[in-house]
Amino acid sequence: METLDLIVREYIKRTPTSAQIHSEAQEVMPLGVSSNFRAIQPHPLHIARASGTRMWDVDGNEYIDFNMAFGALMSGHAHPLLVRAVSEQMQKGSLYCIPKPESSQLARELIRRFPIEMVRFANSGSEATMHAVRLARAYTGREYLIKFEGGYHGGYDTALVGLKPPARLLGHPAHPPSLPASLGIPAPVAERTLVAGFNDLAGVRRLLERYHNRVAAVIVEPVMLNLGICLPQDDFLARLHELCREFGVLLIFDEVKTGVKIAPGGACEYYGVRPDLVCLAKSIGGGLPLAAFGGRREIFSLYNDFSTFHGGTYAGNPLSIRAGLVTLTQILVPEAYARIFDLNRMLLEGCREIVRRHGLPARVDGIGSMGAILFVDRPIANYRDFLRMDTTRWRGFWLGMNNLGIIPQGVGFDEQWTLSVQHTQEDIQRYLEAFDRLAPMLRS
Ligand code: PMP
């Protein structure tokens, strides 16, 4: 595609220092990065600093950031309240591994927002979902987990199944396979993760009947934000919960991305569902590594006699707890939500108008503080719909917007943008202007 070549050439021309650093990094780090998600072609940007909604790369290019660290920064970059709070805490020591009074304050704030009674803290979304799954297995005495095809819940063996299987291995939509998404996952572990299609209640019921009394939990990202934007249809989540109850199976909401971002109380509040366990991370920590998982007191009582394990050197560390408290009590306050949701409506509407006017083969979907331009011909209801995405056009969009000084969303056509408390109407305007300029190239 000639247009894409032009866009890539421009990207390379603008970022020679990033290219150089990347090539040196590759000598000592596989793909030159610390997370597979950051390895992009022709090379990732290397960022020198970030503040508010702006980022500057090592070549001195300025960007308005709409990725916000894969949605972890609804506070924006270097929020002044966080800079102050974290610096003060640093002076008092960053790590004690002995309890700190603020932890339970933060737990109470989460309990106020979410329908949960007890909380434990961890460092990443992966840890939160891993411990929630273990709790569910311990509580029910069962081993199988049901997840949805295409869903990402973290980088450990049980979760890395049915992630993004290639189309040729998918088989019949009613029976998605339990394909491990990495080498190094023992087959008996992968086999214990069963896979259903999102929005397919009949598929979940089939699995629950077939594996009767052996399924511990169903884990679901209530809005599948690892498939661009894939919304639950009708009352899918409420009916999924009923189905879980019918079979004595726990329902785990993975709210790593939706939690505190589509409503103060996440998808639980937005969809009015009270799952058995809720997993949180990303935006609750204001950019510091903070995760939490919470649920019913009775389930969490399993920790009381030490029969079930959760722990970690950095779990509930003072810096992250401080950052979490400031984020949830001083930054993500009701007025901030109202403002961000208004800005997001403006961005979504603006993008839709540009898509229409230029006749782009794309959709614009969004929820809460998030949105995405999806190069598909119909709404994404599950992983198989997501595979219809025109990835070449998406690449032109992402790199082309970078060339115009906008990081339009997380890198990866399964990602979306996140607006932060620091985004302004002017930022939105700049996004729309850049998209409008790029659109004729994307149509070709
Ligand atoms: N669950 C979901 C829904 C996620 O989007 C992610 C990360 N993108 C994770 C879990 C894992 O979180 P982390 O990268 O913090 O381990």
Side-chain angles (χ1 to χ4, degrees):
M1 182 185 176
E2 209 179 306
T3 313
L4 182 57
D5 282 347
L6 284 175
I7 290 172
V8 172
R9 252 184 267 150
E10 170 70 12
Y11 181 91
I12 292 172
K13 199 170 101 207
R14 288 174 41 252
T15 56
T17 315
S18 282
Q20 174 65 27
I21 295 173
H22 184 61
S23 120
E24 287 164 18
Q26 279 173 305
E27 290 165 20
V28 287
M29 294 162 70
L31 301 172
V33 291
S34 286
S35 164
N36 281 6
F37 297 126
R38 292 175 210 163
I40 66 157
Q41 292 295 332
H43 55 259
L45 297 175
H46 282 64
I47 296 300
R49 69 189 179 91
S51 175
T53 57
R54 299 297 198 272
M55 292 219 285
W56 291 270
D57 72 14
V58 285
D59 288 288
N61 298 303
E62 181 180 303
Y63 303 89
I64 308 180
D65 186 12
F66 290 82
N67 168 20
M68 285 295 157
F70 291 114
L73 287 175
M74 202 167 155
S75 321
H77 293 285
H79 192 290
L81 287 176
L82 282 166
V83 171
R84 194 168 69 217
V86 172
S87 311
E88 276 171 15
Q89 180 58 52
M90 194 69 199
Q91 309 256 348
K92 297 184 197 161
S94 57
L95 196 58
Y96 312 145
C97 288
I98 294 175
K100 176 179 190 314
E102 282 186 332
S103 307
S104 56
Q105 265 174 269
L106 183 55
R108 283 182 203 285
E109 171 60 17
L110 292 176
I111 290 166
R112 191 185 69 75
R113 288 182 178 231
F114 291 86
I116 52 179
E117 294 170 334
M118 298 289 264
V119 176
R120 275 275 177 104
F121 292 107
N123 305 289
S124 66
S126 300
E127 271 184 78
T129 64
M130 181 180 77
H131 285 293
V133 168
R134 179 180 298 143
L135 261 184
R137 284 174 162 159
Y139 181 76
T140 57
R142 301 169 176 182
E143 288 191 350
Y144 284 83
L145 174 74
I146 295 178
K147 74 172 290 266
F148 293 95
E149 197 172 39
Y152 183 68
H153 303 291
Y156 55 97
D157 294 354
T158 291
L160 276 184
V161 175
L163 185 57
K164 299 277 193 297
R168 68 193 153 79
L169 297 179
L170 285 182
H172 195 279
H175 304 284
S178 291
L179 289 171
S182 169
L183 294 178
I185 297 177
V189 175
E191 282 159 16
R192 275 167 179 63
T193 300
L194 310 170
V195 184
F198 192 62
N199 281 316
D200 179 12
L201 277 175
V204 178
R205 176 176 284 282
R206 256 193 312 276
L207 286 175
L208 289 171
E209 282 169 354
R210 179 148 170 234
Y211 291 83
H212 195 57
N213 286 337
R214 283 182 287 167
V215 178
V218 173
I219 187 165
V220 63
E221 191 183 11
V223 178
M224 289 192 75
L225 295 165
N226 289 284
L227 297 181
I229 302 243
C230 172
L231 297 160
Q233 290 172 343
D234 307 320
D235 49 357
F236 173 70
L237 295 170
R239 290 176 59 201
L240 181 64
H241 195 197
E242 279 166 23
L243 199 53
C244 286
R245 281 213 209 95
E246 183 185 330
F247 285 84
V249 167
L250 299 191
L251 178 63
I252 305 174
F253 266 17
D254 176 350
E255 293 228 45
V256 165
K257 275 185 167 178
T258 51
V260 309
K261 279 172 64 195
I262 64 173
C268 296
E269 178 182 337
Y270 193 96
Y271 292 104
V273 176
R274 201 185 169 89
D276 300 285
L277 291 162
V278 179
C279 305
L280 299 159
K282 293 198 193 260
S283 272
I284 64 166
L288 270 83
L290 176 66
F293 53 106
R296 295 209 312 269
R297 189 175 298 277
E298 187 196 354
I299 301 173
F300 274 70
S301 71
L302 284 173
Y303 288 140
N304 289 343
D305 63 3
F306 296 92
S307 61
T308 308
F309 180 77
H310 164 249
T313 304
Y314 297 97
N317 70 79
L319 288 177
S320 298
I321 294 287
R322 191 84 263 272
L325 252 185
V326 169
T327 302
L328 296 187
T329 60
Q330 295 177 44
I331 299 175
L332 299 182
V333 293
E335 313 82 76
Y337 281 101
R339 219 188 119 258
I340 290 177
F341 293 167
D342 276 352
L343 284 181
N344 202 37
R345 272 188 286 275
M346 193 183 301
L347 183 52
L348 289 166
E349 273 317 306
C351 287
R352 284 188 188 119
E353 192 274 321
I354 291 167
V355 163
R356 252 193 321 268
R357 184 155 41 79
H358 291 274
L360 288 182
R363 303 182 42 82
V364 183
D365 284 317
I367 184 167
S369 55
M370 295 171 282
I373 293 160
L374 304 162
F375 294 93
V376 283
D377 52 1
R378 62 180 191 216
I380 296 173
N382 55 42
Y383 174 61
R384 309 217 175 185
D385 288 344
F386 164 82
L387 284 175
R388 302 165 71 89
M389 186 90 76
D390 179 343
T391 55
T392 308
R393 221 178 285 268
W394 181 85
R395 209 164 115 73
F397 163 70
W398 197 83
L399 292 172
M401 290 291 276
N402 271 252
N403 288 344
L404 295 169
I406 304 286
I407 298 182
Q409 60 158 76
V411 60
F413 47 96
D414 52 354
E415 284 293 328
Q416 57 291 130
W417 70 63
T418 290
L419 296 189
S420 75
V421 295
Q422 301 198 63
H423 280 94
T424 61
Q425 279 200 30
E426 191 215 320
D427 292 335
I428 306 296
Q429 219 44 55
R430 292 271 303 275
Y431 188 114
L432 295 174
E433 278 160 25
F435 185 35
D436 199 21
R437 249 179 88 189
L438 186 65
M441 290 181 94
L442 296 176
R443 204 183 37 201
S444 62

